[in-house]
Amino acid sequence: MNNTTKLQILVLIEQRGGEIVKSSLETLGEALDMAEAAGEALSEVTALLLLGETELNIYQKLVTEISQFGPSRIIIARHAALTNFDAAAWSEAVVQVTSNED
């Protein structure tokens, strides 16, 4: 039996006005570098994009931009409470996504 633990990295992608915040892409790039150093078979990088209910029309553009970096997958969480930054709402979204991964 193989007891190797897979490195799983979740990167929160922040966007404002339909544009991804530069620091989010920088963080995604660093996470991908870490994953590569660990070995592709032993790592997974997931990009988490939070959107408000009214922002659905921009998600395809954002997903296209994120996918160019090459994360293992992209998860989109959408809820009205995520439209503007709210620490409690954003934290709850992260908890919900990570809880569903078990």
Side-chain angles (χ1 to χ4, degrees):
M1 180 175 205
N2 187 350
N3 290 333
T4 304
T5 301
K6 190 172 202 173
L7 174 64
Q8 296 184 10
I9 304 171
L10 179 68
V11 178
L12 178 63
I13 305 295
E14 184 180 357
Q15 64 87 24
R16 290 189 196 122
E19 299 296 324
I20 296 175
V21 174
K22 182 180 176 183
S23 60
S24 291
L25 295 178
E26 292 168 349
T27 303
L28 180 57
E30 289 296 322
L32 290 164
D33 288 347
M34 288 174 53
E36 183 178 342
E40 277 188 44
L42 300 175
S43 60
E44 178 178 279
V45 176
T46 300
L48 173 59
L49 176 62
L50 303 180
L51 294 174
E53 290 290 333
T54 60
E55 299 171 314
L56 188 57
N57 59 331
I58 62 171
Y59 91 94
Q60 189 59 50
K61 171 186 170 279
L62 299 174
V63 167
T64 299
E65 186 175 354
I66 295 165
S67 66
Q68 291 173 358
F69 280 76
S72 306
R73 62 194 175 137
I74 300 169
I75 298 174
I76 299 170
R78 201 181 79 159
H79 190 279
L82 302 174
T83 302
N84 296 309
F85 177 74
D86 177 281
W90 284 34
S91 296
E92 181 60 26
V94 171
V95 167
Q96 290 294 320
V97 166
T98 57
S99 295
N100 289 333
E101 295 299 306
D102 293 339

Coordinates of all heavy atoms in Angstrom, one line a residue:
M1 N 0.8 -1.2 0.0 CA 0.0 0.0 0.0 C 0.9 1.2 0.0 O 1.8 1.3 0.7 CB -0.9 0.0 1.2 CG -1.8 1.2 1.3 SD -3.0 0.9 2.7 CE -4.3 2.0 2.1
N2 N 0.5 2.2 -0.8 CA 1.3 3.5 -0.9 C 0.8 4.5 0.1 O -0.4 4.9 0.1 CB 1.2 4.0 -2.3 CG 2.1 5.2 -2.6 OD1 2.7 5.7 -1.6 ND2 2.2 5.6 -3.8
N3 N 1.6 5.0 1.0 CA 1.2 5.9 2.0 C 1.6 7.4 1.7 O 1.6 8.2 2.5 CB 1.8 5.6 3.4 CG 1.2 4.3 4.0 OD1 0.1 4.0 3.7 ND2 2.0 3.6 4.8
T4 N 1.9 7.6 0.4 CA 2.2 8.9 -0.1 C 1.0 9.9 0.0 O 0.0 9.6 -0.5 CB 2.8 8.9 -1.5 OG1 3.8 8.0 -1.6 CG2 3.3 10.2 -1.9
T5 N 1.2 11.0 0.7 CA 0.2 12.0 0.8 C 0.3 13.0 -0.4 O 1.4 13.4 -0.7 CB 0.4 12.8 2.1 OG1 0.3 11.9 3.2 CG2 -0.7 13.9 2.2
K6 N -0.8 13.3 -1.0 CA -0.9 14.2 -2.1 C -0.9 15.6 -1.6 O -1.7 15.9 -0.7 CB -2.1 13.9 -3.0 CG -2.1 14.6 -4.3 CD -3.3 14.1 -5.2 CE -2.9 14.4 -6.6 NZ -3.9 13.8 -7.5
L7 N -0.1 16.5 -2.2 CA -0.1 17.9 -1.8 C -1.2 18.5 -2.6 O -1.3 18.5 -3.8 CB 1.3 18.5 -2.3 CG 1.4 20.0 -2.1 CD1 1.3 20.4 -0.7 CD2 2.7 20.5 -2.8
Q8 N -2.2 19.1 -1.8 CA -3.3 19.7 -2.4 C -3.3 21.2 -2.0 O -3.3 21.5 -0.8 CB -4.6 19.1 -1.9 CG -4.7 17.7 -2.3 CD -6.1 17.1 -1.9 OE1 -7.0 17.7 -1.4 NE2 -6.2 15.8 -2.1
I9 N -3.3 22.1 -3.0 CA -3.2 23.5 -2.7 C -4.5 24.2 -3.3 O -4.8 23.9 -4.5 CB -2.0 24.1 -3.4 CG1 -0.7 23.4 -2.9 CG2 -1.9 25.6 -3.2 CD1 0.6 23.8 -3.7
L10 N -5.1 25.0 -2.5 CA -6.3 25.7 -2.9 C -5.9 27.2 -3.0 O -5.4 27.8 -2.0 CB -7.4 25.5 -1.9 CG -8.7 26.3 -2.2 CD1 -9.4 25.7 -3.4 CD2 -9.6 26.2 -1.0
V11 N -6.1 27.8 -4.2 CA -5.8 29.2 -4.3 C -7.1 30.0 -4.6 O -7.8 29.7 -5.5 CB -4.9 29.4 -5.6 CG1 -4.6 30.9 -5.8 CG2 -3.6 28.6 -5.4
L12 N -7.4 30.9 -3.7 CA -8.5 31.8 -3.9 C -8.2 32.8 -4.9 O -7.3 33.6 -4.8 CB -8.9 32.5 -2.5 CG -10.0 33.4 -2.5 CD1 -11.3 32.7 -2.8 CD2 -10.1 34.1 -1.2
I13 N -9.1 32.9 -6.0 CA -8.9 33.8 -7.0 C -9.9 35.0 -6.8 O -11.1 34.8 -6.8 CB -9.2 33.2 -8.4 CG1 -8.3 32.0 -8.6 CG2 -9.0 34.2 -9.5 CD1 -6.8 32.3 -8.7
E14 N -9.3 36.2 -6.6 CA -10.1 37.4 -6.4 C -10.3 38.1 -7.7 O -9.3 38.3 -8.5 CB -9.4 38.2 -5.3 CG -10.2 39.4 -4.9 CD -9.5 40.3 -3.9 OE1 -8.4 39.9 -3.4 OE2 -10.1 41.4 -3.5
Q15 N -11.5 38.6 -7.9 CA -11.7 39.5 -9.1 C -12.5 40.7 -8.7 O -13.2 40.7 -7.7 CB -12.4 38.7 -10.2 CG -13.9 38.2 -9.8 CD -14.9 39.3 -10.1 OE1 -14.8 40.2 -11.0 NE2 -16.0 39.2 -9.4
R16 N -12.2 41.7 -9.4 CA -12.9 43.0 -9.2 C -13.3 43.5 -10.6 O -12.5 43.7 -11.5 CB -12.0 44.0 -8.5 CG -11.7 43.7 -7.1 CD -11.0 44.8 -6.4 NE -10.4 44.3 -5.2 CZ -9.1 44.4 -4.9 NH1 -8.3 45.0 -5.7 NH2 -8.7 43.9 -3.7
G17 N -14.6 43.8 -10.7 CA -15.1 44.4 -12.0 C -14.8 43.5 -13.2 O -14.6 44.0 -14.3
G18 N -14.8 42.2 -13.0 CA -14.5 41.3 -14.2 C -13.1 41.1 -14.5 O -12.7 40.5 -15.5
E19 N -12.2 41.6 -13.7 CA -10.7 41.5 -13.9 C -10.1 40.7 -12.7 O -10.4 41.1 -11.5 CB -10.0 42.8 -14.1 CG -10.5 43.6 -15.2 CD -10.2 43.0 -16.6 OE1 -9.2 42.3 -16.7 OE2 -11.1 43.1 -17.5
I20 N -9.3 39.7 -13.0 CA -8.7 39.0 -11.9 C -7.6 39.9 -11.3 O -6.8 40.5 -12.0 CB -8.0 37.7 -12.4 CG1 -9.2 36.8 -12.9 CG2 -7.2 37.0 -11.3 CD1 -8.7 35.5 -13.6
V21 N -7.6 39.9 -9.9 CA -6.6 40.7 -9.2 C -5.2 40.1 -9.4 O -5.0 38.8 -9.3 CB -6.9 40.7 -7.7 CG1 -5.9 41.4 -6.9 CG2 -8.3 41.4 -7.5
K22 N -4.2 40.9 -9.8 CA -2.9 40.4 -10.1 C -2.3 39.5 -9.1 O -1.7 38.5 -9.4 CB -2.0 41.6 -10.4 CG -0.6 41.3 -10.8 CD 0.2 42.5 -11.1 CE 1.7 42.1 -11.4 NZ 2.5 43.3 -11.6
S23 N -2.5 39.9 -7.8 CA -1.9 39.0 -6.8 C -2.4 37.6 -6.7 O -1.8 36.7 -6.3 CB -2.0 39.7 -5.4 OG -3.4 39.9 -5.1
S24 N -3.7 37.5 -7.2 CA -4.3 36.1 -7.2 C -3.5 35.3 -8.3 O -3.3 34.1 -8.0 CB -5.7 36.2 -7.6 OG -6.5 36.8 -6.6
L25 N -3.2 35.9 -9.4 CA -2.5 35.1 -10.5 C -1.1 34.8 -10.0 O -0.5 33.8 -10.3 CB -2.5 35.9 -11.8 CG -3.9 36.0 -12.4 CD1 -3.9 36.9 -13.7 CD2 -4.6 34.7 -12.7
E26 N -0.5 35.8 -9.3 CA 0.9 35.5 -8.8 C 0.9 34.4 -7.8 O 1.8 33.5 -7.8 CB 1.4 36.8 -8.1 CG 1.7 37.9 -9.1 CD 2.0 39.3 -8.5 OE1 1.7 39.4 -7.2 OE2 2.4 40.2 -9.2
T27 N -0.1 34.3 -6.9 CA -0.3 33.3 -6.0 C -0.5 31.9 -6.7 O 0.1 30.9 -6.3 CB -1.4 33.5 -5.0 OG1 -1.2 34.8 -4.3 CG2 -1.5 32.5 -3.9
L28 N -1.3 31.9 -7.7 CA -1.6 30.7 -8.5 C -0.3 30.2 -9.1 O 0.0 29.0 -9.1 CB -2.6 31.0 -9.5 CG -3.0 29.8 -10.4 CD1 -3.5 28.6 -9.6 CD2 -4.1 30.2 -11.4
G29 N 0.5 31.1 -9.7 CA 1.8 30.8 -10.3 C 2.7 30.1 -9.2 O 3.4 29.1 -9.5
E30 N 2.8 30.7 -8.0 CA 3.6 30.2 -7.0 C 3.2 28.8 -6.6 O 4.0 27.9 -6.3 CB 3.7 31.1 -5.8 CG 4.5 32.4 -6.0 CD 5.9 32.2 -6.3 OE1 6.6 31.3 -5.7 OE2 6.5 32.9 -7.2
A31 N 1.9 28.6 -6.4 CA 1.3 27.3 -6.1 C 1.6 26.3 -7.1 O 2.0 25.1 -6.8 CB -0.2 27.4 -5.9
L32 N 1.6 26.6 -8.4 CA 1.9 25.7 -9.4 C 3.4 25.3 -9.4 O 3.8 24.2 -9.7 CB 1.5 26.3 -10.8 CG 0.0 26.3 -11.0 CD1 -0.4 27.3 -12.1 CD2 -0.6 25.0 -11.2
D33 N 4.2 26.3 -9.1 CA 5.7 26.0 -8.9 C 5.9 25.0 -7.8 O 6.7 24.1 -7.9 CB 6.4 27.3 -8.7 CG 6.5 28.2 -9.9 OD1 6.2 27.7 -11.0 OD2 6.9 29.4 -9.7
M34 N 5.2 25.2 -6.7 CA 5.3 24.3 -5.5 C 4.9 22.9 -5.9 O 5.5 21.9 -5.5 CB 4.5 24.8 -4.3 CG 5.1 26.0 -3.7 SD 4.0 26.7 -2.4 CE 3.6 25.3 -1.3
A35 N 3.8 22.8 -6.6 CA 3.2 21.6 -7.0 C 4.2 20.8 -8.0 O 4.4 19.6 -7.9 CB 1.9 21.7 -7.7
E36 N 4.8 21.6 -8.9 CA 5.8 21.0 -9.8 C 7.0 20.5 -9.1 O 7.5 19.4 -9.4 CB 6.2 22.1 -10.9 CG 7.1 21.5 -11.9 CD 7.5 22.6 -12.9 OE1 6.9 23.6 -13.1 OE2 8.6 22.3 -13.6
A37 N 7.4 21.2 -8.1 CA 8.6 20.8 -7.3 C 8.3 19.5 -6.5 O 9.2 18.7 -6.3 CB 9.0 21.9 -6.3
A38 N 7.0 19.3 -6.1 CA 6.6 18.1 -5.4 C 6.4 16.9 -6.4 O 6.4 15.8 -5.9 CB 5.3 18.4 -4.6
G39 N 6.2 17.2 -7.6 CA 6.0 16.2 -8.6 C 4.5 16.2 -9.0 O 3.7 16.2 -8.1
E40 N 4.3 16.2 -10.3 CA 2.9 16.2 -10.8 C 2.0 15.1 -10.2 O 0.8 15.4 -9.9 CB 2.9 16.2 -12.3 CG 3.1 17.5 -13.0 CD 2.9 17.4 -14.4 OE1 1.9 16.8 -14.9 OE2 3.8 18.0 -15.1
A41 N 2.5 13.9 -10.1 CA 1.7 12.8 -9.6 C 1.4 13.0 -8.1 O 0.4 12.3 -7.6 CB 2.4 11.5 -9.9
L42 N 2.1 13.8 -7.4 CA 1.9 14.0 -6.0 C 1.3 15.3 -5.6 O 1.2 15.6 -4.4 CB 3.3 13.9 -5.3 CG 4.0 12.6 -5.5 CD1 5.4 12.7 -4.8 CD2 3.3 11.4 -4.9
S43 N 0.8 16.0 -6.6 CA 0.2 17.3 -6.3 C -1.0 17.7 -7.1 O -1.2 17.2 -8.2 CB 1.3 18.4 -6.5 OG 1.7 18.4 -7.8
E44 N -1.8 18.6 -6.5 CA -3.0 19.1 -7.2 C -3.2 20.6 -6.8 O -3.2 20.9 -5.6 CB -4.2 18.3 -6.8 CG -5.5 18.8 -7.5 CD -6.6 17.9 -7.1 OE1 -6.8 16.8 -7.8 OE2 -7.4 18.2 -6.2
V45 N -3.4 21.4 -7.8 CA -3.6 22.8 -7.5 C -5.0 23.2 -8.0 O -5.4 23.0 -9.2 CB -2.6 23.8 -8.2 CG1 -3.0 25.2 -7.9 CG2 -1.2 23.5 -7.7
T46 N -5.9 23.6 -7.1 CA -7.2 24.0 -7.4 C -7.4 25.5 -7.3 O -7.0 26.1 -6.3 CB -8.2 23.3 -6.5 OG1 -8.1 21.9 -6.6 CG2 -9.7 23.7 -6.8
A47 N -8.0 26.1 -8.3 CA -8.3 27.6 -8.2 C -9.7 27.7 -7.9 O -10.6 27.1 -8.5 CB -8.0 28.2 -9.6
L48 N -10.0 28.5 -6.8 CA -11.4 28.8 -6.4 C -11.7 30.2 -6.7 O -11.1 31.2 -6.2 CB -11.5 28.6 -4.9 CG -12.8 29.0 -4.2 CD1 -14.0 28.2 -4.8 CD2 -12.7 28.8 -2.7
L49 N -12.7 30.4 -7.6 CA -13.2 31.6 -8.0 C -14.6 31.9 -7.4 O -15.5 31.1 -7.5 CB -13.4 31.7 -9.6 CG -14.0 32.9 -10.2 CD1 -13.1 34.1 -10.0 CD2 -14.1 32.7 -11.7
L50 N -14.7 33.0 -6.6 CA -15.9 33.4 -6.0 C -16.6 34.5 -6.8 O -16.0 35.5 -7.1 CB -15.6 33.9 -4.6 CG -14.8 33.0 -3.6 CD1 -14.6 33.7 -2.3 CD2 -15.5 31.7 -3.5
L51 N -17.9 34.2 -7.0 CA -18.7 35.2 -7.8 C -20.0 35.5 -7.1 O -20.6 34.6 -6.5 CB -19.0 34.6 -9.2 CG -17.8 34.4 -10.2 CD1 -18.3 33.7 -11.4 CD2 -17.1 35.7 -10.5
G52 N -20.5 36.7 -7.3 CA -21.8 37.0 -6.9 C -22.8 36.5 -7.9 O -22.5 36.2 -9.0
E53 N -24.1 36.6 -7.5 CA -25.2 36.1 -8.4 C -25.2 36.9 -9.7 O -25.5 36.3 -10.7 CB -26.5 36.2 -7.7 CG -26.7 35.2 -6.5 CD -26.9 33.8 -7.0 OE1 -27.3 33.6 -8.1 OE2 -26.5 32.9 -6.2
T54 N -24.9 38.2 -9.6 CA -25.1 39.0 -10.9 C -23.8 38.9 -11.8 O -23.8 39.5 -12.8 CB -25.3 40.5 -10.5 OG1 -24.2 40.9 -9.7 CG2 -26.6 40.6 -9.7
E55 N -22.8 38.2 -11.3 CA -21.6 38.2 -12.1 C -21.4 36.9 -13.0 O -20.3 36.7 -13.5 CB -20.4 38.3 -11.1 CG -20.4 39.6 -10.3 CD -19.4 39.6 -9.2 OE1 -19.2 38.6 -8.5 OE2 -18.7 40.6 -9.1
L56 N -22.4 36.2 -13.2 CA -22.3 35.0 -13.9 C -21.9 35.3 -15.4 O -21.2 34.5 -16.0 CB -23.7 34.2 -13.9 CG -23.6 32.8 -14.5 CD1 -22.6 32.0 -13.9 CD2 -25.0 32.2 -14.4
N57 N -22.2 36.4 -15.9 CA -21.9 36.7 -17.3 C -20.4 36.9 -17.5 O -20.0 36.8 -18.7 CB -22.7 38.0 -17.7 CG -22.3 39.2 -16.9 OD1 -22.0 39.1 -15.7 ND2 -22.4 40.4 -17.5
I58 N -19.6 37.0 -16.5 CA -18.2 37.2 -16.7 C -17.4 36.0 -16.4 O -16.2 36.0 -16.6 CB -17.7 38.4 -15.8 CG1 -17.8 38.1 -14.3 CG2 -18.3 39.7 -16.2 CD1 -17.1 39.1 -13.4
Y59 N -18.0 34.9 -15.9 CA -17.2 33.8 -15.4 C -16.4 33.1 -16.5 O -15.3 32.7 -16.3 CB -18.1 32.8 -14.7 CG -18.7 31.7 -15.5 CD1 -18.1 30.5 -15.6 CD2 -19.9 31.9 -16.2 CE1 -18.6 29.5 -16.4 CE2 -20.4 30.9 -17.0 CZ -19.8 29.7 -17.1 OH -20.3 28.7 -17.8
Q60 N -17.0 33.0 -17.7 CA -16.3 32.3 -18.8 C -14.9 33.0 -19.1 O -13.9 32.4 -19.3 CB -17.1 32.2 -20.1 CG -16.5 31.3 -21.1 CD -16.2 29.9 -20.6 OE1 -17.1 29.2 -20.0 NE2 -15.0 29.4 -20.8
K61 N -14.9 34.3 -19.2 CA -13.7 35.1 -19.4 C -12.7 34.8 -18.3 O -11.5 34.6 -18.6 CB -14.1 36.6 -19.5 CG -12.9 37.5 -19.6 CD -13.3 39.0 -19.5 CE -12.2 39.9 -19.3 NZ -11.7 40.1 -17.9
L62 N -13.2 34.8 -17.1 CA -12.3 34.6 -16.0 C -11.7 33.2 -15.9 O -10.5 33.0 -15.7 CB -13.0 34.9 -14.6 CG -13.5 36.4 -14.5 CD1 -14.3 36.5 -13.2 CD2 -12.3 37.3 -14.5
V63 N -12.6 32.2 -16.2 CA -12.1 30.8 -16.2 C -11.1 30.6 -17.4 O -10.1 29.9 -17.2 CB -13.4 29.9 -16.4 CG1 -12.9 28.5 -16.8 CG2 -14.2 29.9 -15.2
T64 N -11.3 31.2 -18.5 CA -10.4 31.1 -19.6 C -9.0 31.7 -19.2 O -8.0 31.0 -19.4 CB -10.9 31.9 -20.8 OG1 -12.1 31.3 -21.3 CG2 -9.9 31.8 -22.0
E65 N -9.0 32.8 -18.5 CA -7.7 33.4 -18.0 C -7.0 32.5 -17.0 O -5.8 32.3 -17.1 CB -8.0 34.8 -17.5 CG -6.7 35.5 -17.1 CD -7.0 37.0 -16.7 OE1 -8.1 37.4 -16.7 OE2 -6.0 37.6 -16.2
I66 N -7.8 32.0 -16.1 CA -7.2 31.1 -15.0 C -6.7 29.9 -15.6 O -5.6 29.4 -15.3 CB -8.3 30.8 -14.0 CG1 -8.7 32.1 -13.2 CG2 -7.8 29.7 -13.0 CD1 -10.0 31.9 -12.4
S67 N -7.4 29.3 -16.6 CA -7.0 28.0 -17.1 C -5.7 28.1 -17.9 O -5.0 27.1 -18.0 CB -8.1 27.4 -18.0 OG -8.3 28.2 -19.2
Q68 N -5.4 29.3 -18.4 CA -4.1 29.4 -19.1 C -2.9 29.2 -18.2 O -1.8 28.9 -18.7 CB -4.0 30.8 -19.7 CG -5.0 31.0 -20.8 CD -5.0 32.5 -21.3 OE1 -4.4 33.3 -20.8 NE2 -5.8 32.7 -22.4
F69 N -3.1 29.3 -16.9 CA -2.0 29.0 -15.9 C -1.8 27.5 -15.7 O -0.8 27.1 -15.2 CB -2.3 29.7 -14.6 CG -1.9 31.2 -14.7 CD1 -2.7 32.1 -15.3 CD2 -0.7 31.6 -14.0 CE1 -2.3 33.4 -15.4 CE2 -0.3 32.9 -14.1 CZ -1.1 33.9 -14.8
G70 N -2.9 26.7 -15.9 CA -2.8 25.3 -15.8 C -3.1 24.6 -14.5 O -2.5 23.6 -14.1
P71 N -4.0 25.2 -13.7 CA -4.4 24.5 -12.4 C -5.0 23.1 -12.7 O -5.5 22.9 -13.8 CB -5.4 25.4 -11.7 CG -6.0 26.2 -12.9 CD -4.9 26.3 -13.9
S72 N -5.0 22.2 -11.8 CA -5.6 20.9 -11.9 C -7.1 21.0 -12.2 O -7.6 20.3 -13.0 CB -5.3 20.1 -10.7 OG -4.0 20.0 -10.4
R73 N -7.7 22.0 -11.5 CA -9.1 22.2 -11.7 C -9.5 23.6 -11.2 O -8.7 24.3 -10.5 CB -10.0 21.2 -11.1 CG -9.8 21.1 -9.6 CD -10.4 19.8 -9.1 NE -10.2 19.7 -7.7 CZ -11.0 19.4 -6.8 NH1 -12.2 19.0 -7.1 NH2 -10.7 19.3 -5.5
I74 N -10.6 24.1 -11.7 CA -11.2 25.4 -11.3 C -12.5 25.1 -10.7 O -13.4 24.5 -11.3 CB -11.3 26.3 -12.5 CG1 -9.9 26.5 -13.1 CG2 -11.9 27.7 -12.0 CD1 -9.9 27.3 -14.4
I75 N -12.8 25.7 -9.5 CA -14.1 25.6 -8.9 C -14.7 27.0 -8.8 O -14.0 27.9 -8.4 CB -14.0 25.0 -7.4 CG1 -13.4 23.6 -7.5 CG2 -15.4 25.1 -6.7 CD1 -13.2 23.0 -6.1
I76 N -15.9 27.1 -9.2 CA -16.6 28.4 -9.1 C -17.7 28.3 -8.0 O -18.5 27.4 -8.0 CB -17.3 28.7 -10.5 CG1 -16.2 28.8 -11.5 CG2 -18.1 30.0 -10.3 CD1 -16.8 28.9 -12.9
A77 N -17.6 29.2 -7.0 CA -18.6 29.3 -6.0 C -19.4 30.6 -6.3 O -18.8 31.6 -6.5 CB -18.0 29.4 -4.6
R78 N -20.7 30.5 -6.3 CA -21.5 31.6 -6.7 C -22.6 31.8 -5.7 O -23.4 30.9 -5.3 CB -22.1 31.4 -8.1 CG -22.6 32.6 -8.8 CD -23.2 32.2 -10.1 NE -24.5 31.8 -9.8 CZ -25.5 31.7 -10.6 NH1 -25.3 32.0 -11.8 NH2 -26.7 31.3 -10.2
H79 N -22.7 33.0 -5.1 CA -23.8 33.4 -4.2 C -23.8 34.9 -4.1 O -22.8 35.6 -4.2 CB -23.4 32.8 -2.8 CG -24.6 32.9 -1.8 ND1 -24.8 34.0 -1.1 CD2 -25.5 31.9 -1.5 CE1 -25.9 33.8 -0.3 NE2 -26.3 32.5 -0.5
A80 N -25.0 35.4 -3.8 CA -25.2 36.9 -3.7 C -24.3 37.5 -2.7 O -23.7 38.6 -2.8 CB -26.6 37.2 -3.4
A81 N -24.0 36.7 -1.6 CA -23.2 37.3 -0.5 C -21.7 37.4 -0.9 O -20.9 38.0 -0.2 CB -23.3 36.4 0.7
L82 N -21.3 36.8 -2.1 CA -19.9 36.8 -2.5 C -19.7 38.0 -3.5 O -18.5 38.1 -4.0 CB -19.6 35.5 -3.2 CG -19.7 34.3 -2.3 CD1 -19.5 33.0 -3.1 CD2 -18.8 34.4 -1.1
T83 N -20.7 38.8 -3.8 CA -20.5 39.9 -4.8 C -19.4 40.9 -4.3 O -18.5 41.2 -5.1 CB -21.8 40.6 -5.0 OG1 -22.8 39.7 -5.4 CG2 -21.7 41.7 -6.0
N84 N -19.5 41.3 -3.1 CA -18.4 42.2 -2.5 C -17.7 41.5 -1.4 O -18.2 40.6 -0.8 CB -19.1 43.5 -2.0 CG -19.7 44.3 -3.1 OD1 -19.1 44.6 -4.1 ND2 -21.0 44.6 -2.9
F85 N -16.5 41.9 -1.2 CA -15.7 41.2 -0.1 C -16.4 41.3 1.2 O -16.8 42.4 1.7 CB -14.3 41.8 0.0 CG -13.5 41.1 1.1 CD1 -13.0 39.8 0.9 CD2 -13.3 41.7 2.3 CE1 -12.4 39.2 2.0 CE2 -12.7 41.1 3.4 CZ -12.2 39.8 3.2
D86 N -16.6 40.2 1.8 CA -17.1 40.0 3.2 C -16.4 38.8 3.8 O -16.6 37.7 3.3 CB -18.6 39.8 3.1 CG -19.2 39.6 4.5 OD1 -19.1 38.5 5.0 OD2 -19.8 40.5 5.0
A87 N -15.5 39.1 4.7 CA -14.7 38.0 5.3 C -15.5 36.8 5.7 O -15.1 35.6 5.4 CB -13.8 38.5 6.4
A88 N -16.6 37.0 6.4 CA -17.4 35.9 6.9 C -18.0 35.1 5.7 O -17.9 33.8 5.7 CB -18.5 36.4 7.8
A89 N -18.5 35.7 4.7 CA -19.1 35.0 3.5 C -18.0 34.3 2.7 O -18.2 33.2 2.3 CB -19.9 36.0 2.7
W90 N -16.9 35.0 2.5 CA -15.8 34.3 1.7 C -15.3 33.1 2.5 O -15.0 32.1 1.9 CB -14.8 35.3 1.4 CG -15.2 36.3 0.3 CD1 -16.4 36.8 0.0 CD2 -14.3 36.8 -0.7 NE1 -16.4 37.6 -1.1 CE2 -15.1 37.7 -1.5 CE3 -13.0 36.8 -1.0 CZ2 -14.6 38.4 -2.6 CZ3 -12.4 37.5 -2.0 CH2 -13.2 38.3 -2.8
S91 N -15.1 33.3 3.8 CA -14.6 32.2 4.6 C -15.5 31.0 4.6 O -15.1 29.9 4.5 CB -14.4 32.6 6.1 OG -13.4 33.6 6.2
E92 N -16.8 31.3 4.7 CA -17.8 30.2 4.6 C -17.8 29.5 3.3 O -17.9 28.3 3.2 CB -19.2 30.8 4.9 CG -20.3 29.7 4.9 CD -20.1 28.6 6.0 OE1 -19.5 28.9 7.0 OE2 -20.6 27.5 5.7
A93 N -17.6 30.2 2.2 CA -17.5 29.6 0.9 C -16.3 28.7 0.8 O -16.4 27.6 0.3 CB -17.4 30.7 -0.2
V94 N -15.2 29.1 1.4 CA -14.0 28.2 1.4 C -14.2 27.0 2.2 O -13.9 25.9 1.8 CB -12.7 29.0 1.9 CG1 -11.6 28.0 2.1 CG2 -12.4 30.1 0.9
V95 N -14.9 27.2 3.4 CA -15.2 26.0 4.2 C -16.1 25.0 3.5 O -15.9 23.8 3.5 CB -15.8 26.5 5.6 CG1 -16.5 25.3 6.3 CG2 -14.8 27.2 6.4
Q96 N -17.1 25.6 2.8 CA -18.1 24.7 2.1 C -17.4 23.9 1.0 O -17.6 22.7 0.8 CB -19.2 25.6 1.5 CG -20.2 26.1 2.5 CD -21.0 25.1 3.2 OE1 -21.4 24.1 2.6 NE2 -21.1 25.2 4.5
V97 N -16.5 24.6 0.2 CA -15.8 23.9 -0.9 C -14.9 22.9 -0.3 O -14.9 21.7 -0.8 CB -15.0 25.0 -1.7 CG1 -14.1 24.3 -2.6 CG2 -16.0 25.8 -2.5
T98 N -14.1 23.2 0.7 CA -13.2 22.2 1.2 C -13.9 21.1 2.0 O -13.4 19.9 1.9 CB -12.1 22.9 2.1 OG1 -12.8 23.6 3.2 CG2 -11.3 23.8 1.3
S99 N -15.0 21.3 2.6 CA -15.8 20.3 3.2 C -16.4 19.3 2.2 O -16.4 18.1 2.5 CB -16.9 20.9 4.0 OG -16.5 21.7 5.1
N100 N -16.7 19.8 1.1 CA -17.3 18.9 0.0 C -16.2 18.1 -0.6 O -16.5 17.2 -1.4 CB -18.0 19.7 -1.0 CG -19.3 20.3 -0.5 OD1 -19.9 19.8 0.4 ND2 -19.7 21.4 -1.1
E101 N -14.9 18.3 -0.4 CA -13.8 17.6 -1.0 C -13.5 16.3 -0.2 O -12.8 15.5 -0.7 CB -12.6 18.5 -1.0 CG -12.7 19.7 -1.9 CD -13.0 19.3 -3.4 OE1 -12.2 18.5 -3.9 OE2 -14.0 19.8 -4.0
D102 N -14.0 16.2 1.0 CA -13.7 15.0 1.8 C -14.4 13.7 1.2 O -15.3 13.7 0.6 CB -14.1 15.2 3.2 CG -13.3 16.3 3.9 OD1 -12.2 16.5 3.4 OD2 -13.7 16.8 4.9

